[in-house]
Amino acid sequence: MAKPLHFAAFVMNTNSHIQHGLWRHPNAQQADFNDVNLWVNLAKTLEAGTFDAMFFADVVGLYGPVNGSYEVNAREGLQIPSNDPSVLLSALAVSTEHIGLSFTSSILQSHPFDFARKVSTLDHISNGRIGWNVVTSTLENAARNFGFDRLVEHDERYAWAQEYMDVVYKLWEGSWDDDALIKDKVSGIYADYTKIHKINHKGERYQVEGPHLPSPSPQRTPVIFQAGSSPAGRAFAARNAEAQFILAPNPEIARKGIAETREAVVAAGRQAGDLQFFQGLTFVIGSTEEEAKRNEAEIDEYISTDGFLAHINLGLDQATGTPLDPDMPLKDIKHEGNQSHVQWLRDANPDREPTVRDLAKITAKVRGRVVGTPEQIADNLAEWQEAGVDGINVINWTIPQSYELFIDEVMPVLRNRGLAKNESAPGTLRHKLTGQDQLPAARSHES
Ligand SMILES: Cc1cc2nc3c(=O)[nH]c(=O)nc-3n(C[C@H](O)[C@H](O)[C@H](O)COP(=O)(O)O)c2cc1C
């Protein structure tokens, strides 16, 4: 019997997250994302369907070049309008019991003192079910929203992210001793100040005195997720992350990337298994292969090429906002943004350097798409698992239907094969993933 995979639902508090154009599908409800009930109901569905986590993506600016038009973004509802996922998580935390609640927050958007306090509060409210996807922001507009003229250079952003981590680790792990909170009405002592420590962080970007204001939450540090796979991104993950989101074009490439990243984890002084890998996949299900192909053709009718190109953030000249020559090789594009995507296209096309023309075509049609009967999908997931993947980040076409179909039609087959759990796991998110509620002592003391 196989070991159960973890399952996360990859969503965003917006209309059009990844599969642009699909919001127009008659069954799609994501256009109503302002309605909290859409998310509460989805969270309950996922929890009943034994998903381990919901994972909210987020950005803090527009896709596209600095002075480019955002007509496409607005027309497509492409990550604008969007709402803050962390605020939504508190509603989901009180409407659910078991499901992990992860969200994305950029080092750009919040001061680490304030961010650490917000996360501890959420971790208390949810009884330890919070995860944080650490991002550095790849959008020029995001940089301008937070007072910069332009994006900080790629590797420098990861150095900044490391200092950010150092500050929040000190607040979450080092500021309060386990027995600092006394809550004794008889003696009249609520907390023992000798066990609550200022952190006195003085670094290149931050000076934070402390102490952390919240008392320790069930996990202290939320489960740390990360999604970059450039050398700097991988080194950052090796040092900090507990789970990495990957979008490998096939299991063989995933196997190679996982092996390399695990080596980096060991080089960073951790155990190879301390970092888990979640592959992003999207499913088109049919009771027969033919029906699955028909469903796929139907989905393709809604796909918006404009939306895909705008999202990739690479198809336009970053200085002028004009479209790039379609035959331009990707290696000639100069950008400080997302480097993983270019690498992904190279890996998917080993015989030649991909061009700008390939960007939209390949991304829209094949990225992470699995089409077939529930049995064929189970075979496919077994291959990913065999390549070293620990979990699947399920990307939707339509909310909530993509998840309802997956839970009703695929999950039972996966359970029969031992590839999915039979019931929701109780406890903290970290406990679901690693069996521990908190970071190992060696890591929590490293800062
Ligand atoms: C599955 C997945 C999810 C991601 N989610 C977000 C997100 O929500 N917000 C964001 O700003 N970047 C997101 N990213 C981008 C990464 O954080 C990172 O910037 C990108 O992969 C490029 O990193 P690299 O240059 O180190 O490879 C995501 C990437 C992947 C693969």
Side-chain angles (χ1 to χ4, degrees):
M1 204 65 159
K3 183 172 161 242
L5 285 158
H6 297 302
F7 287 90
F10 191 31
V11 292
M12 186 167 173
N13 200 352
T14 191
N15 174 56
S16 195
H17 171 205
I18 298 185
Q19 306 293 14
H20 303 298
L22 265 294
W23 67 276
R24 297 174 302 129
H25 191 285
N27 295 330
Q29 293 177 24
Q30 52 260 42
D32 296 325
F33 75 92
N34 282 328
D35 180 354
V36 70
N37 293 314
L38 175 77
W39 299 108
V40 168
N41 292 336
L42 178 64
K44 289 180 172 170
T45 301
L46 292 165
E47 182 166 276
T50 70
F51 269 64
D52 296 279
M54 287 176 93
F55 165 44
F56 281 86
D58 195 34
V59 290
V60 284
L62 295 169
Y63 284 82
V66 171
N67 294 316
S69 163
Y70 42 94
E71 184 271 325
V72 177
N73 312 49
R75 167 161 41 95
E76 301 279 330
L78 193 168
Q79 307 196 5
I80 178 174
S82 76
N83 292 333
D84 183 332
S86 67
V87 179
L88 176 61
L89 286 204
S90 51
L92 302 187
V94 294
S95 333
T96 55
E97 206 180 334
H98 301 306
I99 193 159
L101 300 166
S102 292
F103 73 108
T104 300
S105 183
S106 171
I107 56 167
L108 190 61
Q109 74 190 83
S110 310
H111 189 282
F113 182 81
D114 184 52
F115 178 72
R117 186 173 185 227
K118 171 157 73 176
V119 169
S120 296
T121 308
L122 281 169
D123 205 51
H124 277 301
I125 292 175
S126 64
N127 289 321
R129 292 184 282 139
I130 300 299
W132 169 33
N133 177 34
V134 187
V135 301
T136 65
S137 290
T138 56
L139 305 178
E140 291 288 348
N141 177 243
R144 289 179 169 222
N145 287 337
F146 290 91
F148 291 83
D149 293 338
R150 63 182 71 86
L151 271 183
V152 171
E153 187 269 328
H154 181 270
D155 288 8
E156 176 55 27
R157 292 202 304 271
Y158 279 109
W160 172 5
Q162 191 56 54
E163 189 188 347
Y164 197 97
M165 296 307 296
D166 292 344
V167 176
V168 292
Y169 283 143
K170 286 177 190 175
L171 291 165
W172 287 324
E173 299 290 339
S175 188
W176 283 66
D177 295 352
D178 283 335
D179 54 355
L181 196 66
I182 303 197
K183 283 208 292 197
D184 182 5
K185 288 188 176 174
V186 177
S187 65
I189 300 177
Y190 193 77
D192 177 353
Y193 90 102
T194 66
K195 294 176 176 173
I196 304 168
H197 313 287
K198 292 189 171 181
I199 65 165
N200 292 315
H201 176 89
K202 284 196 175 58
E204 209 171 300
R205 286 180 190 264
Y206 300 111
Q207 300 209 1
V208 179
E209 185 171 273
H212 190 38
L213 295 179
S215 60
S217 66
Q219 299 184 116
R220 283 185 175 259
T221 297
V223 176
I224 304 293
F225 291 82
Q226 198 269 346
S229 45
S230 61
R234 209 173 254 184
F236 178 85
R239 198 164 156 194
N240 302 283
E242 297 169 80
Q244 194 182 38
F245 290 116
I246 58 171
L247 287 171
N250 60 53
E252 278 324 298
I253 290 170
R255 188 193 304 280
K256 188 166 163 279
I258 289 170
E260 286 167 8
T261 310
R262 286 206 198 280
E263 270 174 34
V265 171
V266 173
R270 299 168 63 199
Q271 305 284 321
D274 285 353
L275 180 58
Q276 303 195 5
F277 296 85
F278 278 67
Q279 166 71 18
L281 294 173
T282 186
F283 301 94
V284 187
I285 310 162
S287 54
T288 61
E289 220 174 308
E290 293 65 40
E291 190 185 54
K293 294 223 167 83
R294 276 201 304 280
N295 291 340
E296 182 181 34
E298 197 217 349
I299 282 170
D300 280 342
E301 282 172 27
Y302 289 94
I303 282 194
S304 159
T305 306
D306 278 4
F308 272 88
L309 272 179
H311 187 175
I312 293 167
N313 206 30
L314 294 171
L316 297 174
D317 184 294
Q318 297 294 308
T320 62
T322 51
L324 294 170
D325 173 358
D327 293 319
M328 181 176 178
L330 294 189
K331 67 176 166 38
D332 294 342
I333 302 178
K334 298 230 174 336
H335 67 96
E336 288 297 338
N338 185 334
Q339 299 186 0
S340 309
H341 194 79
V342 173
Q343 192 55 46
W344 181 89
L345 281 165
R346 281 207 185 99
D347 289 344
N349 299 269
D351 302 336
R352 62 178 177 85
E353 176 68 16
T355 61
V356 170
R357 195 192 305 279
D358 294 323
L359 276 169
K361 207 175 63 195
I362 303 174
T363 309
K365 295 287 178 199
V366 303
R367 197 177 198 189
R369 185 187 285 194
V370 185
V371 184
T373 63
E375 287 71 23
Q376 288 172 320
I377 291 172
D379 290 344
N380 181 273
L381 294 189
E383 277 177 40
W384 286 100
Q385 185 179 56
E386 205 277 317
V389 161
D390 303 283
I392 306 297
N393 202 19
V394 180
I395 299 170
N396 63 80
W397 303 104
T398 59
I399 288 178
Q401 196 194 36
S402 291
Y403 296 110
E404 291 167 351
L405 290 175
F406 189 83
I407 287 167
D408 291 346
E409 295 178 20
V410 182
M411 277 295 197
V413 178
L414 296 176
R415 286 196 193 104
N416 279 341
R417 296 207 199 172
L419 284 166
K421 278 184 287 299
N422 287 317
E423 50 198 43
S424 292
T428 64
L429 177 56
R430 182 171 288 108
H431 196 270
K432 290 185 221 310
L433 301 184
T434 70
Q436 304 295 321
D437 288 326
Q438 297 184 353
L439 286 179
R443 280 199 65 209
S444 57
H445 295 141
E446 74 186 5
S447 55

